[in-house]
Amino acid sequence: MPRRIDTHAHVVPPFYRDWLDEKGVSAGGLPIPEWSEETCLEQNQKNGVETSILSVSTPGVYLGKHAKEAKGMARKVNEFCFELVKKKPKNFGYFATLLLPDVEGSIAEAEYALDHLKADGVILLSNVGDTYLGDESQEPLMEVLNKRGAVVFIHPSHLPAKPVETIPPFVADFLLCTVRAAINIMKSEWFEKYPNIKFILSHAGGFLPYAADRIAISESGASGYEEVMSALQSFYFDTALTGPHAMETLLKFAHPERITFGSDWPYAFAPISEWFTSKLESNSDIDSATKDRIDRKNAEFLFPRLAQYK
């Protein structure tokens, strides 16, 4: 049985779910699911997961007109996760929730969560409105994260445009937001400025692997193709909701040491999560060494404390 480390696993504390329900907020067109420690551990057993690196999904804690409540909610969520990890450090880790677009508040919460609440990294949404990661205003936060060699899990958010009525945002818009953030980070030279940060892109990077050649040529022309491709390949990628067709492209694009397992549970309901996991297991195009990397070894590099569990 695999002992996977799931880098794309969501947590929904009951108080956070109630808060979103009160505000009438969904998650990219999905209802906010119920979550408990017990159901998470049960689902992990089905998916061959030993450790879930938990994160709060879209919409996070910044809800526009409710921004004043975000600070308290972020701290409450982070303390909730800290207690889970303290109780079951082999089974849980977490990415701290921050407060963008509030950069100063995000710095304060990142410092507290990483230094005192022992977070394994932080989660940042691809964008808040039309401001994407890579924006110059966010660089003071990146300096703090770079100093700590932080892992930054990038989760898609809502496209700053009206959705198509018949297409929920999570189906396609999320993928575009991921790619926009990735390009913006590359163009802003964050890999050069903040070499100690490890960025993980959700859902195999959206369609970044598929569009990488197009992006590289459009950004630099043929003469700078290799440089742009190298930058784009500096991201880490998780396998959440990545089926055989997308996996083929990801494996051709990404270095094998840059791919981690992701389930997207509970927003990916149990049958869906299990289907994608089964397709990963049965994929004959992935050799056993690469499967071992995806299941665990790559994540052990990102989260060294988990290497102690044999």
Side-chain angles (χ1 to χ4, degrees):
M1 187 72 169
R3 298 171 54 239
R4 296 186 172 102
I5 298 171
D6 187 350
T7 64
H8 190 145
H10 293 304
V11 63
V12 191
F15 58 83
Y16 174 71
R17 184 176 187 273
D18 291 345
W19 184 63
L20 294 182
D21 281 345
E22 288 172 7
K23 303 291 190 288
V25 175
S26 71
L30 286 169
I32 308 300
E34 294 186 2
W35 184 97
S36 71
E37 177 184 337
E38 293 73 25
T39 55
C40 183
L41 293 173
E42 288 173 8
Q43 185 60 40
N44 282 355
Q45 190 171 23
K46 294 176 183 177
N47 281 335
V49 170
E50 182 171 271
T51 309
S52 289
I53 310 297
L54 301 171
S55 59
V56 168
S57 185
T58 304
V61 296
Y62 177 80
L63 304 180
K65 61 183 179 180
H66 306 291
K68 291 183 179 179
E69 300 175 50
K71 184 176 181 180
M73 184 56 65
R75 178 62 55 87
K76 196 173 180 181
V77 165
N78 291 335
E79 288 177 341
F80 178 89
C81 291
F82 170 68
E83 293 298 329
L84 279 172
V85 177
K86 186 165 68 171
K87 184 166 63 171
K88 286 187 167 65
K90 183 178 179 179
N91 300 118
F92 293 115
Y94 82 102
F95 293 116
T97 296
L98 302 186
L99 298 155
L100 288 180
D102 177 359
V103 175
E104 290 186 7
S106 292
I107 289 172
E109 192 61 28
E111 290 176 335
Y112 185 78
L114 292 169
D115 297 348
H116 301 287
L117 298 181
K118 308 303 178 185
D120 293 288
V122 303
I123 177 170
L124 296 177
L125 299 182
S126 57
N127 59 296
V128 179
D130 58 3
T131 300
Y132 280 80
L133 294 178
D135 191 82
E136 185 179 4
S137 66
Q138 302 158 353
E139 297 207 355
L141 173 60
M142 294 304 118
E143 291 171 5
V144 169
L145 298 176
N146 186 66
K147 183 178 179 181
R148 287 162 174 78
V151 179
V152 175
F153 174 55
I154 299 174
H155 193 278
S157 186
H158 292 274
L159 191 69
K162 185 178 179 181
V164 178
E165 187 175 345
T166 58
I167 306 174
F170 75 89
V171 173
D173 295 356
F174 272 18
L175 307 181
L176 175 56
C177 281
T178 301
V179 174
R180 282 183 168 188
I183 295 172
N184 216 35
I185 287 170
M186 180 271 296
K187 288 170 68 73
S188 298
E189 300 182 342
W190 278 12
F191 291 114
E192 293 81 7
K193 293 178 183 176
Y194 312 112
N196 298 325
I197 299 177
K198 293 91 174 174
F199 295 100
I200 304 175
L201 294 177
S202 298
H203 311 120
F207 55 84
L208 181 67
Y210 177 84
D213 295 310
R214 178 179 179 139
I215 294 166
I217 290 294
S218 67
E219 288 299 321
S220 65
S223 61
Y225 170 88
E226 294 295 340
E227 183 179 355
V228 175
M229 285 293 286
S230 178
L232 295 175
Q233 290 170 323
S234 296
F235 287 105
Y236 288 80
F237 304 85
D238 72 49
T239 65
L241 302 183
T242 304
H245 300 93
M247 186 62 69
E248 181 179 356
T249 307
L250 177 64
L251 290 168
K252 288 181 179 179
F253 171 74
H255 300 300
E257 68 272 13
R258 298 272 171 167
I259 306 173
T260 65
F261 176 80
S263 72
D264 212 343
W265 188 84
Y267 288 90
F269 304 131
I272 297 171
S273 174
E274 291 165 26
W275 186 88
F276 280 100
T277 300
S278 70
K279 293 301 180 184
L280 177 65
E281 288 179 340
S282 63
N283 193 325
S284 60
D285 293 330
I286 310 176
D287 60 51
S288 59
T290 301
K291 283 185 179 179
D292 287 344
R293 284 185 171 278
I294 294 171
D295 285 347
R296 186 171 186 93
K297 289 183 179 179
N298 292 340
E300 282 186 343
F301 172 77
L302 294 172
F303 313 107
R305 73 171 183 85
L306 297 177
Q308 66 182 298
Y309 301 114
K310 302 300 182 182

